């Protein structure tokens, strides 16, 4: 009991410092906006602290005239104002640098297969920085890979089929979410507050009932999220390690493995973790006091929160560089923000704000392939948010994904059924026709991951039933007037313009190996435990 108290004391001090920074940031926001301390449960579209007013500069002896805006630039300036966009979603947030000690420890843990039950999977197995913070697969291969160090296309297991039921979301920019993480927000802030990343109030997790605070959730949403892949049989745990044990027991065993004490004593032939933890937490405590899963998940969460990639052409345009976008991208931006009634895509109905997500849940009826979540009588259904909330009205609803860096995070959809942004827009143009074509032509066999798989056409016999059920739900919502999803009815030219705009949401850093290198563990090392995953890529 004493060691836990000491460990929690260190983490508590760290959390208190985070909370003070958040209070100062929100106080500034309220003062700037004329706020008087009212409820912040309903997030503003763009909760960003405006910059302080600068002193009046000296008169410019040769002032430059304001740029002359053409018609499309005038439209975009009006859109930016109407949408409340700032071009900098980091403003007002307390986000760490990758050079800080705690994210550095988190990086080492993120790349260590020692957090996998059978020591053949790491967090990075499904979330590599060079793969858009994800894995380049429709459905992830976690444990049991034939080559655990091979990531992306070509990663497979003994039966050549994925066991993880959903497409892997990117970990990039997780520090910008304030409501929930995972596609169904099963890790969720119970007091969602702008800029807080889940630090203001309780967090509900799969360890508690829906909408009930998990007192052990951790400092924020990313720290809470980091506790759950290690307990998943398909993702990191496997079926042998701690078979049938509770999540707490699994996590405790893994912490003791990293710390080299208790039930994990001697499981690692090489173990130099204690010095890494002492540096990160500036502590002289021993492993039994310092290394718990609370400190592990906190470090991993801080590593993830340091991965902010938002320096993209669209935000540069918002901040005054009118040449940051091509003419095609500007036309695409107008279409993106224009309503369907006005001939646009209506995309910003859900993909709003600087995050490009309202953080809410919508039924869009993407095809359902893969093993599913077992939510229906077939055992292969995936009811989305309903699986967490238990509310029938949440069936087939999934959290609106952010579109930041969307170009680099294919395949798309909760089951990774679409490999290109054009296919996604085709779905939005006519979901019924596109899903039926997908099913009739067994197009999952055209996905890179499934090419060459024996008997591919017969892999998912319930795909039609499950996908049609989602279509029916979408149709019912439309009849009831509760759906924000309208067929967009655009032509090929307009589709290419929107796709071009979506590519303008990519931070070029994530496409540059050297730029991303600070977030990758030293490939010349095997890590503190000799079990570091140094990725191999087939292409």
């Amino acid at each position: 009991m004493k060691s836990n108290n000491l460990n929690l004391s260190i983490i508590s001090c760290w959390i208190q410092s985070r909370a003070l920074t958040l209070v100062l940031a929100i106080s500034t926001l309220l003062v700037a906006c004329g706020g008087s301390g009212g409820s912040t449960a309903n997030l503003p579209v763009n909760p960003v602290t405006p910059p302080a007013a600068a002193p009046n500069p000296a008169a410019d002896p040769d002032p430059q005239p304001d740029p002359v805006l053409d018609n499309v630039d005038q439209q975009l300036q009006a859109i930016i104002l109407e949408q409340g966009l700032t071009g900098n979603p980091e403003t007002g947030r307390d986000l760490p640098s990758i050079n800080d000690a705690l994210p550095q420890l988190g990086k080492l843990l993120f790349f260590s297969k020692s957090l996998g039950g059978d020591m053949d999977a790491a967090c990075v197995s499904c979330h590599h920085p060079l793969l858009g913070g994800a894995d380049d697969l429709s459905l992830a291969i976690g444990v049991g890979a034939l080559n655990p160090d091979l990531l992306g296309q070509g990663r497979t297991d003994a039966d050549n089929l994925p066991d993880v039921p959903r497409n892997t979301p990117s970990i990039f920019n997780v520090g910008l979410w304030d409501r929930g993480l995972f596609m169904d927000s099963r890790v969720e802030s119970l007091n969602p507050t702008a800029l807080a990343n889940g630090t203001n109030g309780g967090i509900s997790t799969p360890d508690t009932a829906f909408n009930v605070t998990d007192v052990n959730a951790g400092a924020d949403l990313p720290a809470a999220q980091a506790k759950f892949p290690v307990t998943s049989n398909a993702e990191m745990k496997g079926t042998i390690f701690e078979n049938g044990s509770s999540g707490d027991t699994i996590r405790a065993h893994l912490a003791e493995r990293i710390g080299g004490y208790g039930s994990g004593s001697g499981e690692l032939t090489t173990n130099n973790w204690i010095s890494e933890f002492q540096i990160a937490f500036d502590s002289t405590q021993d492993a039994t006091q310092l290394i718990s899963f609370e400190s592990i998940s906190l470090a991993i969460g801080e590593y993830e929160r340091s991965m902010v990639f938002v320096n993209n052409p669209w935000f540069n345009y918002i901040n005054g560089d009118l040449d940051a976008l091509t003419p095609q991208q500007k036309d695409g931006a107008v279409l993106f923000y224009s309503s369907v009634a006005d001939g646009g895509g209506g995309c910003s109905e859900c993909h709003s704000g600087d995050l490009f997500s309202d953080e809410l849940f919508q039924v869009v009826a993407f095809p359902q392939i893969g093993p599913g979540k077992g939510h229906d009588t077939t055992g292969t259904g995936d009811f989305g948010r309903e699986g967490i909330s238990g509310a029938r009205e949440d069936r087939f609803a999934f959290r609106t994904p952010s579109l930041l860096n969307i170009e680099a995070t294919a395949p798309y959809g909760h089951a990774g059924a679409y490999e290109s942004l054009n296919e996604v827009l085709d779905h939005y143009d006519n979901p019924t026709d596109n899903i039926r074509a997908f099913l009739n032509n067994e197009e999952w066999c055209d996905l890179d991951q499934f090419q060459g798989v024996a008997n591919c056409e017969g892999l998912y016999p319930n795909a039609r039933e499950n996908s049609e059920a989602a279509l029916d739900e979408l149709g019912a919502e439309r009849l009831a007037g509760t759906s924000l999803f309208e067929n967009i009815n655009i032509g090929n030219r307009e589709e290419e313009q929107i796709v071009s705009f979506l590519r303008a949401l990519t931070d070029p850093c994530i496409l540059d190996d050297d730029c991303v290198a600070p977030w990758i563990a030293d490939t010349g090392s095997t890590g503190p435990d000799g079990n570091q995953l140094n990725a191999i890529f087939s292409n």
Side-chain angles (χ1 to χ4, degrees), residues 467-510:
S467 301
E468 292 275 6
L471 272 178
D472 291 344
E473 190 70 20
L474 174 61
E477 285 196 356
R478 286 175 163 179
L479 285 174
T482 58
S483 176
L484 297 177
F485 176 11
E486 302 177 74
N487 288 15
I488 56 179
N489 299 317
I490 60 173
N492 292 336
R493 178 171 175 269
E494 290 79 11
E495 180 177 298
E496 289 301 328
Q497 289 169 339
I498 294 177
V499 168
S500 183
F501 171 65
L502 293 175
R503 292 185 178 127
L505 306 182
T506 301
D507 185 331
C509 179
I510 71 168

Side-chain angles (χ1 to χ4, degrees), residues 10 101 276-285 290:
I10 289 177
E276 301 292 347
F277 276 78
Q278 288 172 336
I279 292 169
F281 286 97
D282 190 22
S283 171
T284 59
Q285 292 179 334
L290 190 55

Side-chain angles (χ1 to χ4, degrees), residues 391-453:
R392 177 60 182 79
E393 59 267 27
D394 288 337
R395 184 165 296 183
F396 301 120
F398 292 88
R399 187 192 66 170
T400 304
S402 171
L403 298 182
L404 296 174
N405 303 305
I406 191 68
E407 173 189 11
T409 61
Y412 306 109
H414 69 280
Y418 293 139
E419 286 193 311
S420 72
L421 292 171
N422 292 88
E423 289 176 320
V424 173
L425 288 177
D426 287 343
H427 177 93
Y428 282 123
D429 189 50
N430 191 322
T432 299
D433 285 355
N434 277 276
I435 276 197
R436 288 176 179 163
F438 181 91
L439 297 169
N440 291 339
N441 299 323
E442 294 151 339
E443 291 180 14
W444 59 84
C445 295
D446 296 331
L447 298 169
D448 286 344
Q449 185 172 8
F450 295 99
Q451 290 187 15
V453 174

Side-chain angles (χ1 to χ4, degrees), residues 81-219:
L81 183 63
E82 178 187 7
Q83 295 283 329
L85 304 176
T86 72
N88 188 358
E90 295 179 79
T91 302
R93 292 184 180 273
D94 177 26
L95 295 167
S97 164
I98 185 56
N99 297 317
D100 294 344
L102 206 50
Q104 284 292 309
L105 171 62
K107 176 171 67 174
L108 293 174
L109 290 163
F110 198 85
F111 278 74
S112 176
K113 289 177 283 189
S114 295
L115 285 178
D118 296 331
M119 292 195 265
D120 67 346
C123 303
V124 77
S125 298
C126 300
H127 298 281
H128 199 284
L130 292 179
L131 297 176
D135 60 5
D136 198 33
L137 300 174
S138 293
L139 298 167
I141 301 288
V143 301
L146 297 181
N147 182 348
D149 295 339
L150 176 62
L151 305 188
Q153 293 299 328
R155 182 178 176 88
T156 189
D157 57 13
D159 66 2
N160 212 22
L161 295 176
D163 297 316
V164 177
R166 289 180 182 160
N167 179 253
T168 301
S170 174
I171 55 167
F172 289 171
N173 300 321
V174 296
L176 305 182
W177 293 89
D178 293 321
R179 288 187 178 270
L181 296 180
F182 293 112
M183 290 185 180
D184 49 18
S185 286
R186 58 187 180 274
V187 169
E188 183 171 26
S189 172
L190 298 182
N191 183 30
T193 304
L195 311 177
N197 203 207
T199 59
N200 188 31
I203 295 175
S204 179
T205 77
D207 282 351
T208 62
F210 176 68
N211 219 27
V212 174
T213 295
D214 180 351
V215 296
N216 297 314

Side-chain angles (χ1 to χ4, degrees), residues 37 51 54 60 75 111 122 144 164 188 244 253 311 355 415 418 460 501 514:
D60 187 343
Q75 291 181 71
F111 278 74
V164 177
E188 183 171 26
H253 188 157
N311 183 24
L355 182 60
Y418 293 139
Y460 302 119
F501 171 65
D514 291 335

Side-chain angles (χ1 to χ4, degrees), residues 44-47 83-86 89 314-315 336-337 348 350-358 404:
V45 169
N46 186 51
Q83 295 283 329
L85 304 176
T86 72
W314 171 238
F315 286 164
F336 181 95
Y337 286 103
S348 60
C350 303
H351 295 286
S352 56
D354 286 323
L355 182 60
F356 282 84
S357 173
D358 57 10
L404 296 174

Side-chain angles (χ1 to χ4, degrees), residues 11 15 198 201 203 214-221 223-224 227 294 297-298:
I11 295 174
I15 293 173
I203 295 175
D214 180 351
V215 296
N216 297 314
D220 47 40
L221 291 171
K227 294 186 174 185
E294 285 69 27
S297 61
L298 176 61

Side-chain angles (χ1 to χ4, degrees), residues 286-303:
D286 66 19
T288 62
Q289 297 170 309
L290 190 55
I291 301 180
S292 66
F293 212 87
E294 285 69 27
S295 56
I296 290 171
S297 61
L298 176 61
I300 291 174
E302 286 303 281
Y303 165 70

